[in-house]
Amino acid sequence: MHTALRFHNRADAGRRLAEAIGARSDDPVVLGLPRGGVPVAFELACCLHAPLDILLVRKIGAPGYPEYAIGAVVDGKNPQRVMNEDVLAYCGASLDYFEKEAARQFEEIERRRKVYLGDRPPTDLANRSVILVDDGIATGASVKAGLKALRQAGAAHITLAVPVAPRMVIEELKTQVDEVFCLSAPEDLQAVSLHYDDFKQTSDGEVTELLARTTYGDLPKG
């Protein structure tokens, strides 16, 4: 892994990830983490001739401290709850609180999926090879929740593909996946945006447009 790569934009990062991954024979599904991960995932899916979908992750915050995650919910054909039981006990949150918050976040996930994909159903990931893509990783909290949910959903082989992430985070994530492709892994990552020339915020419209350029279960149309 290199330590000081820069990318022109997310599309450039996706194409360079595709070069690093190379041809695949395991018929993978490419999943982008909205919003910024979708342009990267789209380019990767096009290069690999793979179907594209999204993975929506919503954090469940502790009572009174919404930024302190006690778990997460992740969308999919069989939506998953990811609970951090140690943190749940530490902050005194009840299972009833967790379930109520999970239900609320599942509603938000469903709303966002309809915005992005309409009535298109989530991909069935059971026994599939999956490549999870983001535009970069800072702490890795959302990615960790997503990876755990992919295992619970029965994915047979999980690859994590990101342009840039802190080296320590990548080393930790290696224990949770079958493969990792990270093009730039600095020891001290100050901000993902510093590794891009163009890192403007990805809009809902852009996510919707890129997903509309794919046919469910078929190849991206480029």
Side-chain angles (χ1 to χ4, degrees), residues 1-4 163-168 170 182-189:
M1 290 185 291
H2 304 291
T3 57
V164 59
R167 183 173 296 276
M168 287 185 63
I170 285 296
C182 180
L183 303 179
S184 185
E187 296 290 346
D188 181 21
L189 189 149

Side-chain angles (χ1 to χ4, degrees), residues 68-126:
Y68 190 49
I70 60 174
V73 293
V74 185
D75 80 327
K77 184 177 180 181
N78 298 300
Q80 304 290 332
R81 293 168 173 78
V82 178
M83 184 186 300
N84 189 330
E85 294 183 3
D86 292 339
V87 177
L88 192 75
Y90 175 77
C91 69
S94 67
L95 288 176
D96 182 62
Y97 168 85
F98 182 90
E99 289 300 329
K100 287 181 179 177
E101 283 299 298
R104 189 168 68 87
Q105 295 302 337
F106 275 133
E107 289 179 359
E108 177 61 15
I109 280 177
E110 183 62 22
R111 186 194 70 79
R112 292 190 180 202
R113 177 168 273 279
K114 285 187 179 297
V115 168
Y116 293 143
L117 289 167
D119 294 327
R120 176 173 140 177
T123 304
D124 186 355
L125 301 177

Side-chain angles (χ1 to χ4, degrees), residues 147 151 169-180:
L147 291 173
R151 288 293 186 202
V169 173
I170 285 296
E171 291 301 318
E172 180 183 359
L173 290 172
K174 280 181 179 179
T175 66
Q176 302 176 33
V177 297
D178 300 292
E179 290 182 283
V180 173

